[in-house]
Amino acid sequence: MYYLITYDLNKVGQDYTGLLNQIKTYTHIKPMKSAWFIKTSDPTAETVYNKLAKFIDKNDQLLVMEIHRNRWGWLPQPCWDFLKS
């Protein structure tokens, strides 16, 4: 399964190393400043979210969405290659 993870981390000075390290446990690529594509055997976006949510604060925002084949946009070629793999 491929998922898009995107977030707004709103607490100034907060250490988000745990969140970033958890994201990096997945096969991943970072197409934008606060967005990641991951590949995982986790069965749902909720499963991924629950693994990540323990590293954010209540005032942060976190979205995990399954990526389907119907997609279009302008990204660096390595990102498209990742999604096609």
Side-chain angles (χ1 to χ4, degrees), residues 10 17 27 46 48 78 81-82:
N10 296 314
T17 304
T27 302
E46 181 180 9
V48 175
D81 295 342
F82 177 85

Side-chain angles (χ1 to χ4, degrees), residues 8-27:
D8 282 335
L9 306 176
N10 296 314
K11 189 169 183 181
V12 176
Q14 176 70 15
D15 182 8
Y16 292 106
T17 304
L19 174 67
L20 300 177
N21 286 341
Q22 181 63 41
I23 293 171
K24 291 176 184 178
T25 66
Y26 297 107
T27 302

Side-chain angles (χ1 to χ4, degrees), residues 26-43:
Y26 297 107
T27 302
H28 64 276
I29 193 165
K30 193 171 191 308
M32 297 176 201
K33 186 175 181 178
S34 61
W36 299 75
F37 294 142
I38 64 164
K39 181 179 179 182
T40 179
S41 60
D42 288 347

